[in-house]
Amino acid sequence: MKIRILTLTSLSHFINDGNSWVLPVTFIFLITYLGISKFLIGILSGAFFFGISALASPLVSKIADKFTNYSSIMGIGILLWGIGLISFGYSIQLHFLPLVFISVAIAGFASAFYHPIGAAVLSITYKGNAGIALGINGSMGSLGRAIYPTLTLSLFAILNKDMTLDMLIIGIISIIAALPSIFLKISITKEEDHKTPSSSNTTSTRGTLFVVILLTIIALLRSIFGQGISQFLPTLLVENYGYSYNVNLGEAITIALAAAIVGQPILGFLSDRVGRRLIYAISTFGAALTLLLFLKIPNIALLSLFGFFNFSAFPLMLSIVGDFVPRNSASFANSLVWGLGVTGGGVIGPIVVGAVSQVSNLVFASEIVTIMAFVAGALTALIPKPPKRTKVPLFG
């Protein structure tokens, strides 16, 4: 059963995170071919894509916590991704900006489904070994992120620069991938944590609430940096570092993102052994420093190191949540940290980068949001030591 759960959630993570990098790749297409301003792209990326996701994530996860069949809910999210991307492709063909916004809103709503639900399923299933399980699962998300930019631009070239057909093919892949999760019903048995005396329980609840709020703030700040950079990374490479809108751009992004395929399980494993707070802080400072170095020395190895550190947030942050939150509230707590923190930070980050770059340039805008990462890393020191939980075998 554990293998089936890990496989199913990993497939969903692959598609969800792969799709999330289709949009940044197409944003430079909108700027170059349709003349849309970077500020408007920032609004499109932040306020609609991530904004809808941030608002929807707690609601979706609260509903999911009332049911045991999480897999069908994950599948619905992947299905909506397919619909959103197909609609996005046709909106480009029609040059109809309102439909572009609606399509990206659908994609943003779809992105609200996977992370809190997938993390809750793995936290419930693997308990004390959730870090490495989330790391293995996260590496599949990283694989999707690494493959999809090259896939998108390869299809764009093969299809004679027909972005509508490009989005149709990628959307159909999502719809097909959603079917196993929807129809292969895997139920998760949620465990109640042992209750403590009333006074201790009240203190514990207050402590847990403090940690969730603190983690949400940290995730928000790191995401302002991470998502602000990510959504404009293809544009940054084209406008400032000599790349063209072709397969070579996709390959550069793939190299940058591929490092997290091994990075997530490695950092997830280290978080189980060394401590999640320390590894999360290291990854946050590492992402900020390597990005600053890349802006000054545009070497693909530095960009790859940025990807190694930056895209490690999934197994690290959500496994920290799992250390503090009762199992039966896991997906809702994850939705606050991921939906309001990580995804909510994505509302602010792209808008800030888009606005600053409109009056200056993308390099300066990238440097500005890096400040947020340093603050997030420093705040990690305030996270208390988590209570001990029973470990279970990773497989079995």
Side-chain angles (χ1 to χ4, degrees):
M1 176 61 76
K2 287 186 175 68
I3 296 294
R4 292 176 66 191
I5 290 171
L6 185 59
T7 300
L8 194 63
T9 55
S10 295
L11 173 63
S12 296
H13 204 174
F14 175 87
I15 297 296
N16 183 82
D17 283 25
N19 285 342
S20 71
W21 270 88
V22 171
L23 292 176
V25 169
T26 55
F27 287 158
I28 182 62
F29 174 87
L30 298 179
I31 293 169
T32 303
Y33 289 86
L34 301 185
I36 296 177
S37 71
K38 288 191 285 294
F39 177 68
L40 188 56
I41 290 295
I43 296 291
L44 178 66
S45 175
F48 284 80
F49 174 46
F50 289 103
I52 294 295
S53 182
L55 294 173
S57 189
L59 174 62
V60 169
S61 297
K62 194 66 176 177
I63 294 172
D65 275 334
K66 296 182 180 296
F67 301 94
T68 58
N69 185 22
Y70 283 23
S71 61
S72 293
I73 300 174
M74 283 193 302
I76 291 171
I78 302 300
L79 178 69
L80 288 173
W81 256 117
I83 294 171
L85 290 177
I86 292 171
S87 175
F88 181 64
Y90 279 104
S91 70
I92 292 175
Q93 183 182 51
L94 296 173
H95 289 210
F96 187 50
L97 195 57
L99 185 57
V100 172
F101 275 68
I102 293 171
S103 302
V104 173
I106 294 172
F109 181 74
S111 72
F113 283 69
Y114 176 72
H115 286 103
I117 295 175
V121 169
L122 293 173
S123 293
I124 292 167
T125 302
Y126 289 95
K127 300 179 176 66
N129 281 322
I132 189 170
L134 285 163
I136 294 170
N137 174 275
S139 70
M140 288 299 294
S142 297
L143 182 62
R145 286 195 300 262
I147 289 175
Y148 269 59
T150 298
L151 173 64
T152 302
L153 289 169
S154 296
L155 287 173
F156 183 69
I158 293 170
L159 300 172
N160 197 27
K161 299 184 178 180
D162 188 338
M163 187 60 75
T164 301
L165 188 55
D166 194 342
M167 293 299 101
L168 176 63
I169 292 173
I170 295 175
I172 290 174
I173 291 173
S174 298
I175 292 171
I176 293 173
L179 299 180
S181 292
I182 292 174
F183 294 108
L184 182 61
K185 300 184 182 299
I186 296 179
S187 296
I188 307 297
T189 301
K190 296 182 284 188
E191 299 177 359
E192 298 286 346
D193 285 2
H194 294 292
K195 293 184 179 180
T196 57
S198 180
S199 60
S200 299
N201 190 49
T202 301
T203 303
S204 176
T205 300
R206 289 174 180 171
T208 299
L209 180 60
F210 166 77
V211 172
V212 171
I213 293 172
L214 177 60
L215 291 176
T216 301
I217 293 170
I218 292 171
L220 177 76
L221 294 171
R222 173 163 169 159
S223 184
I224 290 173
F225 160 72
Q227 295 293 358
I229 299 298
S230 297
Q231 294 303 303
F232 281 97
L233 182 59
T235 307
L236 177 71
L237 294 177
V238 170
E239 291 192 352
N240 297 92
Y241 296 105
Y243 285 84
S244 300
Y245 194 73
N246 53 36
V247 176
N248 289 335
L249 173 64
E251 291 172 347
I253 298 171
T254 292
I255 292 171
L257 300 177
I261 297 172
V262 296
Q264 291 214 44
I266 289 173
L267 293 174
F269 174 79
L270 289 175
S271 77
D272 285 337
R273 297 298 183 268
V274 179
R276 310 198 201 285
R277 297 170 299 168
L278 175 62
I279 300 300
Y280 185 81
I282 290 172
S283 73
T284 303
F285 287 123
L289 289 171
T290 51
L291 189 278
L292 288 176
L293 285 172
F294 172 78
L295 294 176
K296 301 300 181 184
I297 310 170
N299 186 289
I300 194 67
L302 289 172
L303 192 61
S304 184
L305 278 175
F306 164 72
F308 179 92
F309 288 117
N310 187 57
F311 300 107
S312 62
F314 175 73
L316 298 177
M317 176 57 78
L318 295 187
S319 58
I320 293 174
V321 176
D323 286 339
F324 288 94
V325 176
R327 306 295 184 195
N328 61 338
S329 299
S331 73
F332 182 62
N334 288 338
S335 74
L336 293 176
V337 176
W338 191 271
L340 297 182
V342 176
T343 314
V347 175
I348 301 171
I351 294 175
V352 171
V353 173
V356 174
S357 64
Q358 197 67 34
V359 298
S360 180
N361 58 69
L362 276 173
V363 173
F364 179 69
S366 299
E367 292 170 343
I368 289 296
V369 293
T370 302
I371 297 171
M372 299 296 108
F374 286 112
V375 175
L379 288 176
T380 305
L382 299 179
I383 301 174
K385 186 177 181 180
K388 291 185 178 180
R389 293 209 176 181
T390 304
K391 291 191 176 184
V392 298
L394 181 59
F395 302 111

